[in-house]
Amino acid sequence: DQQVKQNSPSLSVQEGRISILNCDYTNSMFDYFLWYKKYPAEGPTFLISISSIKDKNEDGRFTVFLNKSAKHLSLHIVPSQPGDSAVYFCAASECGRDYGGSQGNLIFGKGTKLSVKP
Amino acid sequence: EPEVTQTPSHQVTQMGQEVILRCVPISNHLYFYWYRQILGQKVEFLVSFYNNEISEKSEIFDDQFSVERPDGSNFTLKIRSTKLEDSAMYFCATRDIPNFTYNEQFFGPGTRLTVL
């Protein structure tokens, strides 16, 4: 039961160009979405997030777009740099259930390996 | 910058043995999680912990698993009798006080558990 899907296991992009990583979800109760970046032998590093009340969030070179009707989000990296090469995980959670409790566990996609070539 | 730390970085054990994985959360964080990633697969939620009790657990978190915060700093995951299929990277994650629109969890570097 894949509630969060990243259908592209890998993506190769030229330095300076735009990288677009996609993510689809099936659970309409998800209301908070995050992107994590992961290098080998390290833990996931938080990159950017978006609440379901927004459709776009931007932080420097990184922009996340959310299309709730399509249950789709994407991460845009522009311009891409060789240091961006890593595995990118999309994650989703139901923050709305968090009435002082500690729900909000993250459901991850399988990841997309991004390679940015110089 | 504060960070989550985990020990050991790599644990090798024999099937049937008990293991304890340790995590030191970021100091002002109140919510703690364990996740695991089997090689080549996605990161999976195991358990969440708040106010000294389990808040939520997944189907993976069966009776062989337990968590506790014995001394107010370390947050531990215990596997009582390890199985071959428990071999994975185990990640601890923590976050701050809840906010309706805020759920950024900060992950530790992970412990690689190898069960022989």
Side-chain angles (χ1 to χ4, degrees):
Chain A
D1 175 27
Q2 284 191 72
Q3 296 189 67
V4 178
K5 300 177 187 178
Q6 293 178 257
N7 292 319
S8 299
S10 63
L11 175 68
S12 184
V13 171
Q14 204 67 33
E15 180 179 7
R17 299 290 186 100
I18 185 171
S19 296
I20 300 176
L21 298 112
N22 293 303
C23 177
D24 298 292
Y25 62 96
T26 57
N27 187 344
S28 58
M29 298 299 292
F30 287 147
D31 54 12
Y32 199 75
F33 304 90
L34 308 90
W35 284 94
Y36 282 84
K37 176 180 178 181
K38 186 180 181 303
Y39 294 113
E42 294 185 11
T45 301
F46 171 73
L47 202 55
I48 192 170
S49 62
I50 188 167
S51 163
S52 60
I53 61 174
K54 296 184 176 181
D55 55 19
K56 177 181 175 182
N57 187 28
E58 193 171 353
D59 183 3
R61 297 186 296 116
F62 303 92
T63 303
V64 55
F65 295 92
L66 176 63
N67 182 334
K68 281 191 299 183
S69 61
K71 294 191 176 68
H72 177 84
L73 64 155
S74 60
L75 174 68
H76 292 210
I77 306 173
V78 57
S80 302
Q81 299 173 353
D84 296 329
S85 298
V87 177
Y88 288 78
F89 290 98
C90 170
S93 69
E94 295 182 46
C95 269
R97 299 192 295 130
D98 202 353
Y99 302 114
S102 66
Q103 289 89 349
N105 52 285
L106 299 177
I107 307 298
F108 282 86
K110 288 188 175 181
T112 297
K113 183 176 182 180
L114 174 66
S115 300
V116 180
K117 301 188 183 308
Chain B
E1 184 175 323
E3 58 183 20
V4 178
T5 59
Q6 290 185 243
T7 55
S9 57
H10 190 190
Q11 174 87 48
V12 181
T13 189
Q14 295 289 326
M15 189 171 57
Q17 295 296 304
E18 175 184 286
V19 294
I20 298 176
L21 310 182
R22 291 182 169 80
C23 168
V24 178
I26 294 173
S27 62
N28 61 333
H29 285 193
L30 301 177
Y31 297 82
F32 314 116
Y33 304 82
W34 283 102
Y35 293 82
R36 79 172 186 189
Q37 184 183 26
I38 295 172
L39 186 63
Q41 298 187 24
K42 63 181 178 180
V43 178
E44 300 174 290
F45 167 74
L46 293 179
V47 65
S48 58
F49 190 85
Y50 168 71
N51 200 26
N52 286 319
E53 61 182 23
I54 291 173
S55 294
E56 193 166 6
K57 58 184 180 180
S58 70
E59 293 175 353
I60 303 168
F61 195 88
D62 62 22
D63 292 343
Q64 293 300 313
F65 292 87
S66 62
V67 289
E68 63 176 0
R69 198 164 183 231
D71 56 9
S73 59
N74 287 301
F75 176 52
T76 62
L77 174 69
K78 181 193 290 186
I79 309 175
R80 290 190 185 81
S81 178
T82 50
K83 303 187 285 286
L84 295 176
E85 54 265 38
D86 293 328
S87 295
M89 282 291 290
Y90 287 80
F91 295 106
C92 172
T94 74
R95 73 176 172 109
D96 206 337
I97 295 171
N99 178 304
F100 183 79
T101 61
Y102 180 86
N103 190 26
E104 295 161 16
Q105 295 179 21
F106 295 87
F107 283 76
T111 293
R112 178 172 296 285
L113 176 64
T114 302
V115 182
L116 303 176

